[in-house]
Amino acid sequence: MANNKKKSGTEAKASSSAKKKQTAKQTDKKQNDKEWLEEELKDVKTDVKEDADALMKQAAEQLESLQAEVKEWKDNYLRLHAEWDTYRRRSAEQREAEKATASEALVTDILPVLDDFERSISFAKENGEKGLLDGVKAVHSKLISMLEKNGTAVIDPEEGEAFDALQHQAVSTVEDKEKFDESIAGVMQKGYKMGNKVIRPAMVSVTTGGKKRPSDEVEKEDDKKSEE
């Protein structure tokens, strides 16, 4: 029985020693794990700092590049704006110069006609009215030639011609069953046009009560006008 007690005491001591060793191992393992975690955390912090620094540097470079691009666009805008203002000013000055030149040319062409009118008046005063009509006709012919030289054409429709609302202005109507309806009965005042633009339509009287003009007649007159 004494041997059994001794054996139990030995086993208890051995068990206690084993437990202590196991506890020590566990403590060492925890210490090692803690140190490992601290090293890992340190490495992570270092990596995060390096990544953050790299991102900050990249962002700063991108910001600098964008600022340079914005400055370039701003400079281009200001330059283009200045060029546009210059172009607009020069265009306005050129238009004014062209108007002045055109007016000067027109006045230069009119002056000889004015001289002829004054000569006709002087002639009539000195010699009576004899020959005055011929002088006025000559002045009128010269004035028409001057207008034609400057691109102006007379709108003087013939009697019986079809009424054209684009070039004629009807101021009265005349009943005439012998002529086609809406034909020119007479011209009260001639019209004028420059190119295809009518400056002043011819004032005319128009027939009513007649037959409707055939379509082929209208086409012929349109062809005649286009040739003119």
Side-chain angles (χ1 to χ4, degrees):
M1 188 168 180
N3 289 333
N4 290 335
K5 286 182 178 180
K6 186 178 181 180
K7 184 178 180 180
S8 298
T10 302
E11 290 177 353
K13 288 179 179 179
S15 176
S16 175
S17 177
K19 285 181 179 180
K20 288 180 178 179
K21 288 181 179 180
Q22 185 177 2
T23 301
K25 287 182 179 180
Q26 290 177 349
T27 301
D28 292 341
K29 185 175 183 304
K30 288 181 179 179
Q31 182 65 30
N32 291 334
D33 290 343
K34 181 180 179 182
E35 292 176 355
W36 178 82
L37 286 174
E38 289 177 349
E39 288 294 327
E40 286 295 317
L41 182 60
K42 184 178 179 181
D43 292 340
V44 169
K45 287 180 178 180
T46 302
D47 292 341
V48 168
K49 185 176 183 303
E50 291 176 354
D51 292 343
D53 291 342
L55 289 174
M56 289 293 292
K57 182 179 179 181
Q58 183 180 1
E61 291 174 351
Q62 290 179 348
L63 178 60
E64 184 178 356
S65 176
L66 289 173
Q67 287 176 336
E69 187 175 352
V70 168
K71 184 178 183 302
E72 182 181 359
W73 276 102
K74 184 178 179 180
D75 291 342
N76 290 337
Y77 168 78
L78 293 175
R79 178 175 55 81
L80 289 174
H81 191 272
E83 290 178 354
W84 168 249
D85 285 342
T86 302
Y87 168 77
R88 184 172 54 184
R89 186 181 67 255
R90 289 179 178 175
S91 296
E93 292 174 353
Q94 184 177 359
R95 284 195 297 270
E96 291 300 323
E98 289 173 352
K99 287 180 182 179
T101 301
S103 299
E104 181 181 350
L106 182 61
V107 171
T108 301
D109 287 338
I110 289 177
L111 288 177
V113 180
L114 182 61
D115 293 338
D116 288 342
F117 264 119
E118 291 175 350
R119 292 190 192 100
S120 298
I121 293 171
S122 297
F123 180 84
K125 287 180 179 179
E126 295 173 2
N127 303 284
E129 295 183 1
K130 184 179 179 181
L132 179 61
L133 179 60
D134 292 336
V136 172
K137 285 182 178 179
V139 173
H140 177 265
S141 178
K142 182 178 287 189
L143 182 59
I144 293 298
S145 298
M146 183 271 295
L147 289 173
E148 290 177 347
K149 187 177 74 172
N150 284 275
T152 304
V154 180
I155 303 175
D156 187 15
E158 298 177 357
E159 185 177 344
E161 183 180 320
F163 174 77
D164 183 357
L166 297 177
Q167 301 191 63
H168 308 149
Q169 180 181 353
V171 294
S172 64
T173 57
V174 178
E175 187 173 356
D176 190 342
K177 296 181 180 181
E178 300 298 324
K179 296 179 181 179
F180 291 121
D181 195 32
E182 295 190 351
S183 296
I184 302 298
V187 179
M188 285 74 166
Q189 180 177 278
K190 297 177 183 178
Y192 296 90
K193 64 179 180 179
M194 295 188 72
N196 294 325
K197 182 179 180 180
V198 176
I199 300 174
R200 187 183 75 185
M203 298 175 64
V204 299
S205 57
V206 182
T207 61
T208 60
K211 295 180 180 179
K212 185 177 180 181
R213 187 180 297 272
S215 58
D216 57 342
E217 289 285 338
V218 176
E219 291 177 0
K220 286 181 182 179
E221 293 197 5
D222 289 341
D223 292 339
K224 182 180 177 181
K225 289 178 182 179
S226 62
E227 291 176 359
E228 293 176 353

